[in-house]
Amino acid sequence: MINLIYMFVFSLVYLLLLALTAGILTYVERRIAGRMQSRIGPNRVGIQGILQFIADLIKGVQKEDIIPADAYAFLFKIAPYLVFMGVFLTLVPIPFGAYTLMEDLDVGIYYVLAMASYVVIGLMIGGWASNNKWSLLGGMRSAAQKISYEIPAALGVFIVVIMSGSMNFQKIVAAQGASPVDWFVFRNPFTFIAFNLFFIASLAEGNRVPFDIPEAESELVSGYNTEYSGMRFLFFFLAEWGNLVVIGALVTCMFFGGGSFWYEWKISIPAPGRDPIVFEVLGFLWFLFKTFFFVFVIIWIRWTLPRLRIDQLMDICWKYMVPIGLISSLGIVIWMYFIPENSTIDRIVRLTLTSLGAITVLYFKYRVYKNLKITKATIYANPFV
Amino acid sequence: MIIYLKNIWETYATVFEGMAITFSYLLQRPITVQYPDRMKESVPETLPEKYRGRLMVDTELCTACGLCAKACPIDVIEMKGGRAEGKKGLRLIYFNIYHGKCMYCNLCVEACPAEDGEEDEHHTAIYFKKNFEGSSYTLNGLVEQFIPPDEARRRLKESEEIAAKRAAAAAETTKNSEAKQESDKPKDGGDV
């Protein structure tokens, strides 16, 4: 009974936090988009417009909840919640800290992939129950895209699972370390490829630009959610932005060392003699920092790249990502057989990849500086205008 | 195979470049002007030199010649001049501008002969202000009366009185001159 109450309370807290984060992310995304387009973005509601998402929410609640006359009302009503639930449930096994997680599942990654596919059902139901052929087609498109990109995502996850020898998120994080050299992303070339596969496939699964063909807000009438209005419509968007957090958290866990933040400290094994609470909090904050960095990257990609064509989308998936994923999952097995962990070659490869990453970041800084010089603009880094 | 690898390389290289550009914009000041409530300086100061805002008339300088009203192709200006006590020439009785109609063509300003002798942007009696704010909830709100209606009524009365006086005076003179002519007329060559 007590367990049941705990479960209820914690899921409520998680739900509220996710909803709040997703809401704030809509605001953050609009601000970032504005600055990238030399605009300001919403800055009128509250201090610097921070309450904009609440205003949007109130507007959504006020709107009439329209259900088309010939729609299948029950499924039509339930579809947005299914989609949101699918996104919310993926948060369950993600370790925000050694103890800050809902359930330490042994099949954590498998469960996350399953729940990500579960979203597809919600989208299909929403599209079908609207009794609108465009909605149905939109739902089909979304479903087709999500299912196709499950394969590269699963291949990327597969490589991580082979590397760490477990599907448990805690163990995956523990298999990595605090310093970039220990992260899976720089561990060897195949895990680096796995990171790219998983990240790109996650964008496609989350219907984010450049893979937002099913929704294509500037070209189509939004796909599966055409017939929705008011709060139900907002639920789809809540799910979309909640998904950003999920993608960021997954990438952090699987490739960027999770919440480990100090040398030799692994997230699931609090070292004896250290205050666990301090480390828990620090690890949690470090995890959140990484997560929101990737959320920022996803938003940044959205406002940089144009949309792909459908044939390009298929090309990327079937001609590039799937073959590369298959080759690297073969490669990782061979690599692990011939090159044991912490051997000289392993260390050299890690260091090389990490320095390549650092060089990329430095070159990126140089390019940004060049672009600023070309436009002859003065730097104004203050996010508030 | 080379094309395949080149495609992958190009994908990453172009995405990298694009993201560098958008990030550089993230560090720049937005060009948005937060009109009207969050401006550091008043808007008319930021406008170019020859900006044409609302049409304006200097009622002191105006000689009520009516050339602007004639020059206007769409009857924006509605005006009338009349005689005044103690002033040579004409004085404005009323001068209304229909801002809703105005298309800012500058023809009235070109036609205006009354100048104050300075070489600034508004040296004529009718000129464009830099101010462009003047929205109104009604169409009548867009009609600007430069002479207030009471004053206009008073001036009209005054000019009518003067006109009547002058007409009387003129009638007097014509009568006198006619009488003079009558007396000067030769007696026989009367009806031709």
Side-chain angles (χ1 to χ4, degrees):
Chain A
M1 191 60 208
I2 284 288
N3 275 342
L4 211 64
I5 291 168
Y6 270 135
M7 212 170 79
F8 186 74
V9 168
F10 276 111
S11 31
L12 202 67
V13 169
Y14 257 59
L15 189 64
L16 287 177
L17 280 181
L18 182 71
L20 193 68
T21 318
I24 291 171
L25 276 181
T26 60
Y27 161 74
V28 170
E29 164 145 14
R30 288 168 71 183
R31 281 305 287 257
I32 292 173
R35 286 300 292 271
M36 281 180 180
Q37 298 172 339
S38 276
R39 296 186 284 115
I40 295 172
N43 69 341
R44 296 288 162 139
V45 194
I47 301 158
Q48 285 291 325
I50 186 72
L51 300 177
Q52 182 66 47
F53 72 99
I54 293 176
D56 289 343
L57 182 91
I58 291 169
K59 181 189 162 200
V61 173
Q62 281 176 339
K63 295 273 175 189
E64 189 188 351
D65 181 22
I66 300 168
I67 297 170
D70 290 334
Y72 194 107
F74 175 67
L75 290 182
F76 184 85
K77 280 179 193 163
I78 212 167
Y81 308 126
L82 286 180
V83 172
F84 183 72
M85 211 159 78
V87 171
F88 172 61
L89 285 176
T90 45
L91 277 180
V92 168
I94 290 172
F96 290 97
Y99 306 105
T100 321
L101 78 170
M102 277 169 106
E103 186 66 56
D104 192 9
L105 290 175
D106 277 340
V107 286
I109 286 189
Y110 188 69
Y111 170 84
V112 165
L113 286 179
M115 284 304 134
S117 317
Y118 173 66
V119 173
V120 174
I121 297 174
L123 298 184
M124 282 289 281
I125 286 178
W128 178 79
S130 305
N131 192 32
N132 174 337
K133 52 193 163 198
W134 289 286
S135 292
L136 179 58
L137 283 174
M140 296 285 272
R141 270 200 311 265
S142 288
Q145 182 179 320
K146 270 180 199 253
I147 291 168
S148 342
Y149 274 87
E150 287 278 292
I151 296 165
L155 284 171
V157 166
F158 178 63
I159 289 167
V160 170
V161 170
I162 290 178
M163 277 299 290
S164 59
S166 172
M167 286 207 230
N168 186 326
F169 273 111
Q170 294 280 27
K171 284 182 185 151
I172 289 170
V173 172
Q176 306 169 59
S179 71
V181 186
D182 295 329
W183 291 350
F184 272 161
V185 62
F186 298 131
R187 191 62 80 81
N188 60 47
F190 301 112
T191 46
F192 180 73
I193 290 171
F195 162 66
N196 283 285
L197 288 178
F198 183 77
F199 190 64
I200 296 170
S202 303
L203 289 185
E205 278 188 62
N207 276 335
R208 292 290 294 187
V209 177
F211 302 102
D212 69 334
I213 301 163
E215 287 176 47
E217 52 200 7
S218 48
E219 291 165 24
L220 307 171
V221 194
S222 210
Y224 55 83
N225 53 18
T226 316
E227 295 289 345
Y228 283 90
S229 65
M231 208 50 217
R232 290 182 209 284
F233 184 67
L234 286 189
F235 256 97
F236 280 120
F237 279 88
L238 211 57
E240 196 181 319
W241 269 285
N243 201 26
L244 292 190
V245 185
V246 172
I247 294 172
L250 283 177
V251 169
T252 308
C253 270
M254 280 159 55
F255 298 100
F256 286 84
S260 327
F261 69 96
W262 192 247
Y263 181 61
E264 282 190 341
W265 187 80
K266 308 276 166 112
I267 190 167
S268 57
I269 317 156
R274 286 177 184 150
D275 189 355
I277 291 175
V278 172
F279 274 73
E280 180 73 20
V281 169
L282 287 176
F284 179 68
L285 291 178
W286 184 222
F287 188 95
L288 279 192
F289 175 77
K290 285 175 181 173
T291 303
F292 284 110
F293 173 74
F294 284 104
V295 170
F296 169 70
V297 169
I298 296 166
I299 291 170
W300 179 11
I301 287 174
R302 173 171 180 183
W303 297 100
T304 303
L305 298 181
R307 189 172 297 123
L308 292 175
R309 281 201 315 267
I310 187 77
D311 60 322
Q312 290 168 333
L313 181 89
M314 288 293 133
D315 271 5
I316 286 177
C317 184
W318 296 108
K319 280 193 193 165
Y320 290 88
M321 288 169 76
V322 170
I324 290 173
L326 289 171
I327 290 167
S328 2
S329 41
L330 189 66
I332 190 78
V333 176
I334 296 169
W335 181 278
M336 285 188 72
Y337 186 77
F338 285 108
I339 300 165
E341 204 173 329
N342 286 328
S343 64
T344 324
I345 299 174
D346 184 45
R347 277 163 192 258
I348 290 170
V349 169
R350 282 190 201 186
L351 275 175
T352 320
L353 279 171
T354 314
S355 20
L356 278 178
I359 288 168
T360 316
V361 172
L362 288 178
Y363 183 63
F364 178 77
K365 270 181 108 172
Y366 168 74
R367 287 304 307 170
V368 170
Y369 173 73
K370 270 282 175 193
N371 282 321
L372 281 172
K373 278 204 97 172
I374 289 167
T375 46
K376 293 192 181 93
T378 44
I379 293 176
Y380 183 80
N382 184 2
F384 306 117
V385 181
Chain B
M1 191 64 199
I2 289 167
I3 293 170
Y4 189 84
L5 292 176
K6 206 180 143 218
N7 280 344
I8 295 174
W9 169 251
E10 276 187 354
T11 308
Y12 278 92
T14 48
V15 169
F16 182 85
E17 271 307 299
M19 287 174 79
I21 289 170
T22 39
F23 198 84
S24 78
Y25 273 88
L26 199 61
L27 297 176
Q28 291 172 24
R29 182 185 272 281
I31 57 169
T32 307
V33 175
Q34 298 200 59
Y35 178 81
D37 56 337
R38 293 190 193 169
M39 302 276 296
K40 287 201 179 102
E41 52 202 343
S42 74
V43 188
E45 284 169 27
T46 65
L47 293 172
E49 195 115 305
K50 294 192 173 177
Y51 184 86
R52 295 180 195 160
R54 282 167 80 94
L55 197 56
M56 177 80 183
V57 68
D58 186 343
T59 47
E60 293 299 308
L61 199 59
C62 184
T63 54
C65 62
L67 283 179
C68 50
K70 285 199 188 85
C72 185
I74 43 178
D75 297 342
V76 167
I77 300 162
E78 183 186 80
M79 58 90 66
K80 192 181 177 184
R83 298 281 168 187
E85 208 79 64
K87 188 177 184 262
K88 222 177 149 194
L90 293 171
R91 186 180 62 170
L92 281 178
I93 292 173
Y94 57 84
F95 198 102
N96 301 338
I97 290 177
Y98 291 74
H99 289 293
K101 284 198 231 167
C102 183
M103 62 177 181
Y104 309 97
C105 63
N106 208 26
L107 287 176
C108 50
V109 179
E110 282 168 11
C112 186
E115 296 184 7
D116 61 2
E118 289 166 37
E119 277 303 310
D120 56 352
E121 276 309 311
H122 43 81
H123 58 282
T124 47
I126 188 162
Y127 62 94
F128 284 104
K129 275 194 292 188
K130 280 200 173 172
N131 181 21
F132 54 85
E133 295 163 320
S135 58
S136 168
Y137 288 105
T138 58
L139 194 56
N140 283 338
L142 289 171
V143 183
E144 195 171 353
Q145 297 178 323
F146 286 90
I147 312 288
D150 293 346
E151 175 71 13
R153 231 169 278 133
R154 199 182 62 74
R155 286 189 184 186
L156 184 65
K157 214 172 162 190
E158 193 181 314
S159 75
E160 271 168 2
E161 274 167 16
I162 293 171
K165 227 181 265 173
R166 291 205 178 177
E172 197 87 347
T173 28
T174 31
K175 219 176 171 183
N176 288 348
S177 61
E178 266 170 18
K180 210 179 174 191
Q181 269 178 6
E182 202 101 333
S183 61
D184 288 355
K185 229 195 260 172
K187 265 155 197 176
D188 44 351
D191 29 38
V192 179

